[in-house]
Amino acid sequence: MNQLLAMRAYVRVVEASSFIRASDQLGLPRSTVSKLITDLEKHLGIKLIHRTTRSVAVTPEGLEYYHQAARLVSGVDAADNAVRSKKNKPRGNLRIDAPVSLAHSLLIPALPEFHKEYPDVTVSLGVSDKTVSIVGDGVDCAIRGGKLQDMSMIARKIFELDYVTCASPSYLEKYGTPASPADLKNGHKIVGYFFASTGRMEPLIFTKGDESVEIHESHFSVNEGDGLAQMMVAGLGVGQHLRRFMQQDIDAGRLVPLLTDWGHPKLPFHVIYPPNQHQSARLRVFINWLSAKFRLT
């Protein structure tokens, strides 16, 4: 038995909660991964995982062994990367997940610069506003906006973005220009954003000094950032989105900023990744490049 390979397979199975996903990520047949785990259990003389047709359940002894094995595998990878980095440039495929508007407006237009600097790193970019399972889906890192939910991941803040409240000229001609947030509750149409994973609506938020107004109702809503902008451009209502993603429509006259004397808390963006990925050379250079590129955005 190749014990290091067996430990690596075991760590991937636990983190992915699936033999199939672990085998895909390791590039090994499922039968090979299963045999490696069985051989490891025989070697240790303990049961690590209870297998069912649909899931895997880690035993208490298996969980304890996982923590030890994960640290050892991470240490071996770190040693390998430290030596390789002295001779080789970062290489290999990097699987990234990013929200739709951010990917279209910021990340994709900048990727040629990253490729020029690191030509041996290939990129597979998942574009979706729906939160993916970083470990389960084999993602190296994800860029996410707002409050962090998964505290088991390492997070690095890369920038903050401002909001803007907008509507189209055709909408304002039909419904008039609101003078205050309170006006939006009387005769105006609201375009909103709801989270795909929970269905929860994101409220329109207005702040000025000690005043704060939130509007939770909407007449039209969408679970994807570019769709939100398109609904506003189509004249469906007043909405809020990140100014960086709306600026082109504002400059072209397709949207008009409203209630500019009212603010909205900035939205922080983080790049998050699993603890055992921190020594990946290609991930490290991508995060450093991302932070430097968009630090002042």
Side-chain angles (χ1 to χ4, degrees), residues 3 5 10 24 45 65-66 92 117 136 140 163 179 192 216 231 244 254 256-257 269 273 293:
Q3 187 170 358
L5 180 59
Y10 175 64
D24 289 342
Y65 185 75
Y66 161 75
E117 190 168 353
D140 293 299
Y163 278 87
H216 293 264
M231 280 189 170
R244 179 62 180 79
R254 292 186 290 267
V256 179
F269 281 83
Y273 53 97
K293 174 66 179 176

Side-chain angles (χ1 to χ4, degrees), residues 19 61 74 86 91 100 102 142 219 221 275:
F19 275 86
E61 295 82 7
S74 179
K86 294 180 179 180
R91 63 180 62 247
V100 175
L102 184 140
H219 298 83
S221 61

Side-chain angles (χ1 to χ4, degrees), residues 223-261:
N223 64 355
E224 186 266 322
D226 283 359
L228 178 62
Q230 291 165 13
M231 280 189 170
M232 284 185 264
V233 170
L236 292 175
V238 177
Q240 287 181 334
H241 199 6
L242 297 168
R243 177 178 284 273
R244 179 62 180 79
F245 307 148
M246 306 290 282
Q247 195 62 52
Q248 188 173 2
D249 288 318
I250 293 172
D251 293 343
R254 292 186 290 267
L255 289 175
V256 179
L258 304 172
L259 303 172
T260 55
D261 54 336

Side-chain angles (χ1 to χ4, degrees), residues 9-44:
Y10 175 64
V11 169
R12 296 310 300 158
V13 168
V14 173
E15 292 178 343
S17 298
S18 166
F19 275 86
I20 295 176
R21 285 197 292 266
S23 64
D24 289 342
Q25 293 166 21
L26 291 166
L28 296 172
R30 185 189 183 284
S31 59
T32 300
V33 174
S34 181
K35 186 176 187 307
L36 284 167
I37 304 303
T38 299
D39 290 346
L40 187 60
E41 290 177 324
K42 290 179 180 178
H43 170 74
L44 296 171

